[in-house]
Amino acid sequence: MNKKKKSLTYSSSGVDTKKGSQLVEEIKPIVKKTNRLGADVELGGFGGIFDIRAIGYNDPLLVSSTDGVGTKLLLAIENNCYENIGIDLVAMCVNDLIVQGAEPLFFLDYFSTGSLSKKIARRVIKSISEGCEEANCALIGGETAEMPDFYNPNHFDLAGFSVGAVEREKLLPRNVVSGDVIIGIPSSGLHSNGYSLVRNIIKNMKLDIHDKTPYDNSKTFLEEFLSPTKIYVKQILQLLKNTEGVKGIAHITGGGLTENIPRIFKGKNITAEIDVLTWEKPKIYKWLYRSGNIKESEMLKTFNYGIGMVLIVDQKKDKEIMNFLSKYGEEPYKIGKIVENKGEGSKVDYV
């Protein structure tokens, strides 16, 4: 006699849609805090809505960005620390918008996991919401994907997507030429790049990341490694609104100063000449440099090395721009200048 086959369900296969629906309801009050003019942050529809006419642009261009937080996420997962990782996700996207002069308008996230933990997801989304609030960027939607067997137990991945707007005539970069001044705005630490190298150093040293750092007894290595990426939106937008002379901006992420600055040259035969002695390096970089026996050239093309944003400005406006940033609470550094490139292509020279 044939045994009756057990009826299979989506839930018995590892996907709990009820739990996903409960999560959406639980995060609605969190997401509501990111509301801004033009946005509809009511979750649950098929798509997020933003009314660009409501914010008063005349001839806007839309600028989009997508990013993740790399293997920094592994450190967060392994240590059950999710309070900053969503801020990192937002920062990596919105900082890429403002370098083109664009005001971030809205953000969407993708959270994928093998088995959904509502508790962890709420903590992550709360952090994303805090990043959106800081950037004045509405969290208008997202996707939570439960994919059994795809991830290791308790692991998940994140991706972010953001859209901003800029008046056509204000789009950056524009007209970068020899003689322009390079200004660096400090980073808040490692931000979200170079973590595969950081994790390799941790492994080789058998480092207990819960130990205090040798340079700051009030902070553990874990706190240092998971400090959030700095969001530059408010100060850059105010700078662009209140001053003239900014010709280009580079967000210093993976590839460091070496690879990110030339991205704004648009193939011009010019070089960024940078003096690496002009800014103070955060102590974590000095520790990594020594502990990993890393060449400075590698530091400069892997990490932000203490400079999170680079501005290319008219040489007649550099003092005005630095003064404005200083009044806004920043500590800008004049780190170099643009010169004619005697060779082919755009590049960075360190002097």
Side-chain angles (χ1 to χ4, degrees):
M1 183 176 181
N2 292 331
K3 292 183 178 180
K4 188 176 181 180
K5 287 186 177 180
K6 183 180 179 180
S7 178
L8 297 178
T9 65
Y10 207 16
S11 180
S12 69
S13 301
V15 180
D16 191 336
T17 56
K18 183 178 180 181
K19 192 188 294 185
S21 298
Q22 290 171 345
L23 175 65
V24 171
E25 292 303 314
E26 291 173 12
I27 64 174
K28 281 184 177 180
I30 298 172
V31 172
K32 194 79 172 177
K33 295 179 180 179
T34 71
N35 200 18
R36 58 154 293 163
L37 186 64
D40 176 6
V41 295
E42 292 296 330
L43 300 183
F46 288 101
I49 298 171
F50 193 95
D51 182 3
I52 195 167
R53 182 178 293 179
I55 56 177
Y57 280 87
N58 295 315
D59 183 22
L61 295 172
L62 294 180
V63 183
S64 62
S65 175
T66 182
D67 214 330
V69 296
T71 57
K72 184 175 186 177
L73 183 58
L74 278 177
L75 285 177
I77 292 171
E78 291 163 359
N79 293 280
N80 192 31
C81 294
Y82 305 111
E83 282 61 41
N84 292 331
I85 205 70
I87 297 174
D88 288 314
L89 186 67
V90 174
M92 294 302 289
C93 293
V94 297
N95 285 344
D96 278 355
L97 298 180
I98 57 169
V99 300
Q100 293 183 264
E103 172 194 6
L105 301 178
F106 59 86
F107 188 88
L108 301 98
D109 70 279
Y110 177 72
F111 181 105
S112 56
T113 183
S115 179
L116 178 62
S117 164
K118 290 196 298 176
K119 183 177 180 180
I120 291 174
R122 278 198 308 270
R123 290 169 67 190
V124 172
I125 294 167
K126 182 176 184 293
S127 180
I128 292 172
S129 176
E130 289 170 355
C132 285
E133 285 187 78
E134 186 176 345
N136 193 28
C137 186
L139 180 54
I140 64 171
E143 164 71 359
T144 302
E146 193 170 29
M147 302 190 292
D149 304 325
F150 199 85
Y151 294 95
N152 291 331
N154 303 317
H155 277 228
F156 62 91
D157 199 9
L158 291 173
F161 313 86
S162 190
V163 171
V166 58
E167 295 287 7
R168 188 182 303 270
E169 64 180 13
K170 299 291 187 180
L171 183 68
L172 295 175
R174 54 177 181 266
N175 196 32
V176 177
V177 297
S178 177
D180 288 341
V181 172
I182 305 173
I183 296 173
I185 306 178
S187 66
S188 57
L190 293 172
H191 287 183
S192 296
N193 295 100
Y195 275 81
S196 294
L197 176 53
V198 170
R199 290 171 51 251
N200 197 16
I201 292 171
I202 293 171
K203 180 181 177 181
N204 290 341
M205 292 185 66
K206 297 182 171 59
L207 179 72
D208 184 345
I209 59 176
H210 298 284
D211 285 346
K212 302 290 186 182
T213 68
Y215 51 83
D216 184 351
N217 198 44
S218 68
K219 183 186 294 185
T220 66
F221 279 105
L222 182 62
E223 289 170 330
E224 179 73 87
F225 293 147
L226 293 184
S227 63
T229 303
K230 185 174 178 178
I231 294 175
Y232 295 86
V233 170
K234 291 179 181 178
Q235 53 269 60
I236 295 296
L237 289 180
Q238 286 299 312
L239 176 70
L240 296 176
K241 180 180 179 181
N242 292 286
T243 67
E244 295 181 353
V246 176
K247 295 186 171 186
I249 310 176
H251 182 202
I252 309 305
T253 57
L257 294 161
T258 305
E259 295 181 8
N260 282 291
I261 293 177
R263 295 170 67 182
I264 63 177
F265 291 168
K266 294 191 171 182
K268 285 189 175 181
N269 198 30
I270 52 179
T271 290
E273 192 174 85
I274 293 177
D275 183 349
V276 295
L277 299 178
T278 51
W279 73 93
E280 181 66 25
K281 316 301 183 295
K283 292 177 181 177
I284 182 59
Y285 286 119
K286 298 175 183 178
W287 181 85
L288 289 168
Y289 179 80
R290 293 191 301 267
S291 300
N293 191 28
I294 305 172
K295 294 179 180 179
E296 188 169 52
S297 60
E298 184 70 17
M299 298 289 291
L300 286 160
K301 71 176 184 180
T302 302
F303 302 108
N304 64 61
Y305 210 34
I307 298 294
M309 279 282 174
V310 162
L311 310 179
I312 311 295
V313 307
D314 188 305
Q315 60 183 321
K316 296 178 182 178
K317 299 287 186 178
D318 62 326
K319 291 181 181 179
E320 176 189 348
I321 288 168
M322 290 185 72
N323 286 338
F324 183 91
L325 290 168
S326 296
K327 290 177 182 177
Y328 211 91
E330 292 292 350
E331 189 179 351
Y333 297 98
K334 186 174 177 179
I335 65 172
K337 61 184 178 181
I338 301 298
V339 298
E340 291 292 342
N341 183 2
K342 296 178 181 179
E344 290 296 324
S346 305
K347 59 187 180 115
V348 175
D349 280 344
Y350 298 103
V351 297

